[in-house]
Amino acid sequence: MNSLENVIGELCKAILPIPEEFYLGNIDSSIGICTLSSMDLLKQISNSELLYYISIVGRLLTENKGIDYIIKYVNENKKMKTIIVCGKEVWGHKAGHSLFELHKNGIDNDGRIINSTSPDPFITATKSEVNYFQNEINLINIINETNFETIKKLVI
């Protein structure tokens, strides 16, 4: 990322702070939910009985640091087997798109997500961590779905 993008990113954090990143649920669950940029959906799930059936629910706003966090989480929490990717895609970043491209194609030798069309699809995860993600995690693509009941039916 260049310095202008860093400045813009820091400015966005100050003007539009988004403190909610994730909420932990049942540590014995094998299911996680990623709400992409749908913060209302994230709050709704975190304040519902659905939290008892899932390991974690979180947002994903960027095609780099956010995806790195997901890779780290699944590598440290071996019970996690499925991530439901729902909510509205992040305009410009296309974080959901990059997550699915990573799952399908992996990374190159520079840490770039292969076939991602996002502006900065570079992650710091190792190839070994990415391989675990690719081989052990099932992604369910319902990007743009924001209906709580529809998502709930996939879990319960």
Side-chain angles (χ1 to χ4, degrees):
M1 207 162 36
N2 67 38
S3 60
L4 177 60
E5 289 172 327
N6 285 335
V7 170
I8 292 170
E10 291 303 315
L11 184 60
C12 285
K13 286 181 192 175
I15 296 172
L16 300 168
I18 303 173
E20 305 88 2
E21 294 182 19
F22 65 90
Y23 297 91
L24 296 174
N26 179 347
I27 60 170
D28 291 322
S29 175
S30 64
I31 301 171
I33 298 176
C34 173
T35 64
L36 296 174
S37 71
S38 296
M39 300 306 293
D40 289 341
L41 181 59
L42 174 62
K43 280 290 200 188
Q44 187 176 12
I45 292 170
S46 71
N47 290 318
S48 75
E49 74 281 0
L50 196 52
L51 203 57
Y52 298 112
Y53 297 93
I54 60 173
S55 175
I56 189 169
V57 60
R59 62 175 171 78
L60 178 61
L61 302 178
T62 65
E63 70 278 13
N64 40 50
K65 290 179 186 177
I67 290 177
D68 266 325
Y69 182 82
I70 290 172
I71 300 304
K72 179 181 176 184
Y73 185 85
V74 300
N75 274 269
E76 291 176 357
N77 298 278
K78 302 293 187 188
K79 290 181 183 178
M80 176 71 65
K81 296 297 176 195
T82 301
I83 300 173
I84 299 168
V85 183
C86 56
K88 295 296 181 184
E89 182 67 279
V90 181
W91 183 85
H93 286 280
K94 299 183 268 182
H97 158 78
S98 286
L99 185 65
F100 280 94
E101 290 300 318
L102 175 67
H103 193 263
K104 180 179 177 185
N105 303 304
I107 55 174
D108 65 18
N109 291 331
D110 296 320
R112 186 183 193 289
I113 298 171
I114 298 170
N115 290 338
S116 171
T117 58
S118 297
D120 192 30
F122 291 89
I123 61 173
T124 61
T126 67
K127 285 196 175 195
S128 174
E129 291 169 324
V130 170
N131 285 338
Y132 179 84
F133 172 71
Q134 290 176 291
N135 295 320
E136 300 298 326
I137 303 300
N138 177 38
L139 293 182
I140 298 176
N141 186 349
I142 56 168
I143 291 176
N144 291 319
E145 181 61 65
T146 58
N147 182 284
F148 174 80
E149 293 300 323
T150 301
I151 296 162
K152 181 178 173 181
K153 287 177 186 174
L154 290 173
V155 175
I156 300 177

